[in-house]
Amino acid sequence: MPFWINLIVGFLSLIVAALFGVILIPYLKKLKAGSHILDIGPAWHKSKEGTPLMGGFMFILSVPVSLWVGYLIIKAYRSAHMIEAPENSGWKLIAAIGVAMLFMLVGFCDDYIKVVKKRNKGFSIVGKTACQIIIIVAYLAALWALGYDTVVEFPLIGDVDFGWLYYPVMGLAIYVLVNAVNFTDGVDGLLGSVTVVYSVAFTLIFVLLNDWEMSALSMAVAGGCMGFLVWNLHPAKVFMGDTGSMFLGGCVVAMGIASGLELLLPLAGLIYVVEFFSDIIQIFSIRVLHKKVFRMAPIHHHFELCGWSEYKILWVFSGVTLICGILGIVAVWLYRQSL
């Protein structure tokens, strides 16, 4: 399958997301859907007060639109060259987009409460967690119905059959990673940039695995995030809000699980994991040891308070993701060579 299909999908997603911003941002301003900055954050973040939330709708629109175009091109190419499509390839895409959209709805409720109800803490932790658990159970049930194997392929190590333990382990992993992606959104352009690198890495991984439908999804996410960054790089004209970050969390998880190489999730997504556990460590340390490990958590705020600019944080965190992504690609290539 020619790689130019992925390039078309990525470019289309970028253009749709960037152009949608021309319409969306003035509309959000008209709705007065501005963010309220908490006093506990870095003092200079107060200048961002009122920046519109829910800009994530840019890539929430662009990803399914460009993916549908890519899917039709892939289908036409296979038909023209008499190539048989993998079993359940279309349903895998539906499951991936479906779980991302469901998580997006949870994020939208959070943003709606913040913007319309003027309750800055948003959705209650109990309510948000309950909704996430329901979505995770539904997603895992869909994977089971699609015949997903409980055998996890570990590059350079071998295959491990988790049996019934696969579902609770993956359920916990999904919960952590979706929220980890959400935690990463705190500096202009950070989550979008890290996710671009993560998604491009998985595009190449799916190419190596000959899974062209999922490679198109990964490229659509990468393109959509790049289009969003047109408006979100420092100084940000719009924030993605939980609406966008939860959608991206669903996409990040779906990519890793669909690859069948679930170990790549914490590897390529190392920054997400570090962001999440920096917050957990900080909370534990304050409550139990009565002292801080970091100046502020998640860890990108620690580096801010250490004097790093928002651009430096963006480039360093994206660079770490690039290195981890390359390691993942190499591991998959070596694994495929050994088969």
Side-chain angles (χ1 to χ4, degrees), residues 4-5 24 27 62 86 113 118 126 174 224 254 259 296 299 312:
W4 57 259
I5 297 176
L24 181 63
Y27 180 71
S62 74
I113 292 171
K118 305 300 180 184
V126 174
I174 292 170
S259 71
M296 186 176 175
I299 200 168
K312 183 176 180 179

Side-chain angles (χ1 to χ4, degrees), residues 161-193:
D161 189 353
F162 280 78
W164 66 268
L165 281 174
Y166 177 87
Y167 296 101
V169 169
M170 285 312 303
L172 179 61
I174 292 170
Y175 177 80
V176 168
L177 280 163
V178 168
N179 287 287
V181 172
N182 186 35
F183 284 12
T184 309
D185 185 31
V187 172
D188 292 356
L190 178 59
L191 178 53
S193 299

Side-chain angles (χ1 to χ4, degrees), residues 31-88:
L31 290 178
K32 296 182 179 180
S35 58
H36 175 67
I37 307 301
L38 294 173
D39 293 329
I40 60 173
W44 52 90
H45 279 205
K46 274 294 181 180
S47 63
K48 302 179 181 184
E49 187 93 29
T51 303
L53 279 175
M54 295 188 280
F57 278 116
M58 293 181 201
F59 50 76
I60 292 169
L61 171 67
S62 74
V63 168
V65 168
S66 58
L67 178 60
W68 178 247
V69 172
Y71 179 76
L72 291 178
I73 295 174
I74 291 170
K75 189 175 180 180
Y77 185 90
R78 282 205 176 106
S79 178
H81 293 80
M82 293 182 291
I83 302 173
E84 187 174 347
E87 186 180 1
N88 291 327

